[in-house]
Amino acid sequence: MGLEISIIFGISILAGLLGALLGLGGGIIVTPALTLLLGIPIQHAIGASIVSVIATSSGAAIAYVRDRITNLRVGMFLETATTTGAISGAFIAGLISPHYLYIIFGLLLLYSAIAMIGKARQEIPAAVRAHPLAERLRLNGEYFDMTLGRTVRYPVSGVYGGFGLMYVAGVVSGLLGIGSGILKVMAMDMMMKLPLKVSTATSNFMIGVTAAASAGVYLIRGTIDPGIAGPVALGVLAGATCGSKLMTRMKSTTIRKLFIPVLMYVAVQMLWEGWVKR
Amino acid sequence: MNEPETEQTVAAAEIAISNLLRVGVLLSAAVILAGLLLLLATGRSGYAAGFYPTAPVAILRGAAAGKPYAVILSGLLLLILTPALRVAVSILLFLRQKDYLYAGITAAVLAVLAISFALGKIV
């Protein structure tokens, strides 16, 4: 039992570290590692993965909110879209075949990855025009960038597109049972043109809320096995705490270089799920 | 231009939210760690093999009796409650700042969370 716990612990530290840097829940690491490496049943792996999303979110948000990298208003505003999306997703789950959805979202992510390569050298978005609604909702913000050594002021554009994509991200998590941190970062980065650090920090802040609602249900259903989810939570918290300290000292272009391969990996995984595993 | 004033109140709210998250995370981590150490030290979960409590009341009762699995689950319960509590506290913070627009937006998020939890359907 001691060895298994240390393996789970190690995997979880890595998941928390990467999750904090990229604004994801770490489920893309925890779920396959637990099922493939340790042979843990998928239901218990999913239960542990939902715990890892909450641990990453809360663990990283402590630093990101305090250092004012998270845009609280953007987060709160977009959470209305993701939570309603998640409910709609859960309701229409029986109506649509998940295979098509996996393929659609796999292609969407693949397209985003290619579009991101074009932005690979961009440190801070340039020439962004604030959306009138962003002014009214006071979404435009600023943060102190430690690597650049200056305060970055940024306007928010594409409010409707971002809100729509957030709703879709919620639907996807409701339908497919996956955390959609990757789609949340995409919505803020590509649509709303936020600086990448603000996007990943705000995504981190948001993913915990939707995950908490589902985790309660998972707990009552008995999918959260304490022997697995316990060490996962501790490992992820440790990893996310280190990751959030690391992120402030990294360049956005470096974070993007990490993000693109992860995006491609998830895209291929989804296409595989939709096409091959039918 | 009343920007400096709003900026200050936002900063205060951010520190309050960050502190709330810190307390939730540290407390849950401590409880989970205590449960794990208890599990490793005694070598038993406190329950029959393959079984663990799933209802919050049963979890807390087991934790009070010092059963390792129930202690871990209590910590996980605290961890799960932290983000929901964060949303609830944000409403109060926005209200205190007289930012009724964002108090409303945050209240809407909490309402949707409550509905989804009641339906037990969110994934």
Side-chain angles (χ1 to χ4, degrees):
Chain A
M1 183 149 41
L3 179 70
E4 197 188 69
I5 288 183
S6 2
I7 295 176
I8 296 178
F9 203 60
I11 293 165
S12 308
I13 291 176
L14 186 71
L17 196 72
L18 203 65
L21 286 178
L22 303 183
L24 321 170
I28 49 163
I29 294 174
V30 170
T31 313
L34 291 183
T35 49
L36 300 176
L37 218 62
L38 295 171
I40 288 167
I42 183 79
Q43 298 95 312
H44 289 175
I46 291 173
S49 149
I50 203 94
V51 166
S52 104
V53 176
I54 300 172
T56 312
S57 174
S58 297
I62 296 171
Y64 294 158
V65 172
R66 187 198 52 217
D67 297 344
R68 315 200 62 196
I69 303 173
T70 307
N71 188 320
L72 281 188
R73 288 212 173 92
V74 168
M76 297 291 184
F77 170 62
L78 293 178
E79 268 169 16
T80 58
T82 42
T83 47
T84 42
I87 289 197
S88 350
F91 270 109
I92 55 176
L95 303 175
I96 308 168
S97 162
H99 300 296
Y100 298 115
L101 287 163
Y102 276 118
I103 293 172
I104 293 168
F105 292 118
L107 291 175
L108 178 72
L109 292 181
L110 208 57
Y111 164 77
S112 316
I114 293 163
M116 255 204 171
I117 294 173
K119 291 171 72 173
R121 287 165 180 276
Q122 186 190 71
E123 182 66 31
I124 296 293
V128 179
R129 285 244 312 270
H131 191 281
L133 194 57
E135 305 267 5
R136 210 166 337 137
L137 291 169
R138 283 170 291 149
L139 297 178
N140 304 328
E142 59 174 50
Y143 75 101
F144 182 76
D145 195 307
M146 264 169 84
T147 22
L148 299 176
R150 67 178 172 93
T151 300
V152 175
R153 284 174 172 271
Y154 57 90
V156 175
S157 75
V159 174
Y160 292 124
F163 194 79
L165 195 52
M166 275 300 164
Y167 177 79
V168 172
V171 172
V172 172
S173 52
L175 274 174
L176 304 179
I178 52 167
S180 36
I182 213 159
L183 276 171
K184 291 185 176 119
V185 178
M186 301 305 317
M188 286 183 267
D189 183 70
M190 314 272 282
M191 289 280 201
M192 305 173 84
K193 310 270 188 248
L194 294 178
L196 186 63
K197 286 186 180 182
V198 177
S199 302
T200 61
T202 307
S203 166
N204 249 317
F205 183 69
M206 293 171 62
I207 53 177
V209 175
T210 23
S214 35
V217 177
Y218 279 45
L219 185 83
I220 291 162
R221 280 190 203 150
T223 28
I224 297 180
D225 183 332
I228 302 161
V232 164
L234 285 183
V236 168
L237 283 176
T241 307
C242 298
S244 61
K245 296 219 161 67
L246 206 62
M247 186 267 238
T248 50
R249 289 172 175 79
M250 276 167 96
K251 291 182 78 170
S252 292
T253 45
T254 316
I255 298 171
R256 208 177 281 280
K257 273 176 204 142
L258 277 169
F259 198 87
I260 293 168
V262 171
L263 197 58
M264 289 202 159
Y265 165 74
V266 178
V268 170
Q269 206 186 30
M270 287 185 107
L271 288 174
W272 180 270
E273 197 82 32
W275 237 307
V276 185
K277 275 180 70 179
R278 242 181 321 179
Chain B
M1 280 290 276
N2 56 351
E3 199 144 295
E5 201 185 314
T6 45
E7 271 307 299
Q8 249 177 14
T9 48
V10 170
E14 281 168 328
I15 289 168
I17 292 174
S18 169
N19 284 340
L20 173 79
L21 287 169
R22 189 199 311 271
V23 171
V25 162
L26 287 178
L27 201 63
S28 57
V31 176
I32 296 170
L33 186 66
L36 267 181
L37 292 177
L38 210 58
L39 176 71
L40 290 174
T42 61
R44 59 191 69 181
S45 70
Y47 294 92
F51 180 83
Y52 45 86
T54 54
V57 177
I59 291 171
L60 295 178
R61 200 172 288 155
K67 297 183 175 185
Y69 261 19
V71 176
I72 298 176
L73 282 166
S74 310
L76 291 171
L77 206 56
L78 279 172
L79 188 67
I80 293 170
L81 284 176
T82 302
L85 198 64
R86 187 268 283 169
V87 177
V89 169
S90 304
I91 300 176
L92 298 179
L93 290 172
F94 283 125
L95 277 180
R96 203 198 285 170
Q97 292 166 20
K98 300 197 167 39
D99 188 342
Y100 298 116
L101 175 64
Y102 274 88
I105 288 175
T106 315
V109 172
L110 193 66
V112 176
L113 282 183
I115 292 168
S116 70
F117 195 74
L119 294 173
K121 275 209 154 187
I122 204 167
V123 176

